[in-house]
Amino acid sequence: MKYAVILLRYIRGYVRVCASGGFPERFLNLCYSQGISLWDVCLHGDKLTFCVSRDRFIRLRNPAKKSGVKITLLQKNGLIYKYRKYNKRAGLAVGTLMFLSIHLILSMFVWCVDVKGNSDISKSEIINLAADYGLAPGTLKKGFDEIRAARNIAADYGGKITWLSVNIKGSLAVIELREDDRIISDTRDDSPCNIIADFDGVILSAETFYGDCTVKRGIGVKKGDLLISGAIVNEDMSTTFYAAKGRLTALHEAEIRFTESINEAAEKLIKSQEGYVIGFFGTEIPVGSLKMQENDTLFTERKTLSINGLRLPFYIEKKTAYTAEKAAEENHSVHSMEKMQHGIYVSHSNSTVTEKNEEIQSRENSLILIGKYTLIDFIGEEKPILSDE
């Protein structure tokens, strides 16, 4: 608030004044009673200095006459006095005005498009595709739908891109993405189909590329329930069929059993080395060195940052090398538990475990690991709309 008052006074203009002789105290009281605002008031002997706005300076005559003080103008400050100083240099003012106008107009458009996080998909390919959806140098920022453009660009890659966003900062548009390294496929089936649930669960997130989504966050579904419909009813009551595409995540429970013989469980896995990899937007930064031996077994554990079931392109990957050695008979259960837990992780490497309850049981010459897990997984499988059935 203080700086706003100073700026306003500078724009309106103000003067610094010296009042000498007479009765300064009476002069101040008269100014206050007549509504004349003074600031930076200082008394130096019999001289009083202060600041007053430009339009109220002429009103000081009456208080000065009644109190017997003499008014002397010391300094002029403000934008209006600066303008008067350069009022004969019209070209400077016109040039400044034109510069500000051009800068304002140019700042309303996008002039550069950049791509971050791509590896297999070329940068030029994404920029050309973005131009087809209206994002190119010269695009007017006002009215441009960044969310819709991001969805359309991601949808054109048929699942090869797991996360994409368009952010406009000033005149720079940045397309940030993460490619799906779990699916490597160049084939695409465009035959009409629905997306149905392939397991029971509770929907955490739902993103539709093609089709009509029939579920939303927090809805429980059973295996076989319709998630995204490929049959769209038009305004004229006709029906158009599409190949439904989307990305949905769900929270579900799973019980997993692993059985291992006593002889196999007798092998003890000894940790030999470990290293980490930090990944963000497709860039991987190794932390520490990991040198594998010939008989070592490598286990990889990745923790991905997620919000409400939506995985973000940030993760930390832990790589651990183990060497197999014979374990003592009394430690079979402990080492069997470790080996089977690694096996469960490998078989569900694309899942996020939120809760787990594990126990190990002994049956004759084998050990059984029973695990109950609460998982976050991608849900949905394609089911053709038109079939022989």
Side-chain angles (χ1 to χ4, degrees), residues 113 115 122-136 153 157 175:
V113 180
V115 179
S122 68
K123 181 177 180 179
S124 59
E125 180 183 344
I126 297 175
I127 291 177
N128 292 335
L129 183 60
D132 294 338
Y133 290 109
L135 180 60
I153 296 171
Y157 284 96
I175 303 175

Side-chain angles (χ1 to χ4, degrees), residues 1 16-17 24 38 40 49 58 81 100 136 146 179 181 190 244 258 271 278 302 310 330 335 339 378 385:
M1 186 65 183
R16 187 156 188 82
V17 179
L38 309 177
D40 291 344
T49 59
I58 196 168
Y81 296 112
L100 294 176
E146 302 172 28
E179 298 177 13
D181 54 2
D190 290 330
F258 257 76
K271 182 191 296 184
I278 300 175
R302 176 180 292 189
L310 180 62
E330 62 273 12
H335 303 310
K339 289 181 66 177
F378 289 105
I385 296 177

Side-chain angles (χ1 to χ4, degrees), residues 166-229:
V166 177
N167 300 307
I168 298 179
K169 303 174 183 178
S171 295
L172 173 65
V174 180
I175 303 175
E176 300 179 3
L177 60 96
R178 180 187 177 189
E179 298 177 13
D180 192 346
D181 54 2
R182 301 177 301 108
I183 302 175
I184 303 176
S185 176
D186 293 327
T187 62
R188 178 176 175 182
D189 185 9
D190 290 330
S191 58
C193 65
N194 295 325
I195 302 295
I196 63 171
D198 52 347
F199 57 81
D200 299 347
V202 178
I203 300 297
L204 293 181
S205 66
E207 185 176 6
T208 305
F209 302 145
Y210 293 102
D212 184 17
C213 186
T214 61
V215 295
K216 61 181 180 179
R217 186 175 184 272
I219 297 296
V221 296
K222 292 185 177 182
K223 183 176 180 179
D225 285 354
L226 180 63
L227 303 180
I228 301 177
S229 174

Side-chain angles (χ1 to χ4, degrees), residues 339-359:
K339 289 181 66 177
M340 289 188 289
Q341 284 176 335
H342 284 298
I344 290 173
Y345 173 77
V346 171
S347 62
H348 291 77
S349 59
N350 294 324
S351 305
T352 301
V353 180
T354 60
E355 294 182 13
K356 66 179 181 179
N357 182 16
E358 298 172 333
E359 63 173 330

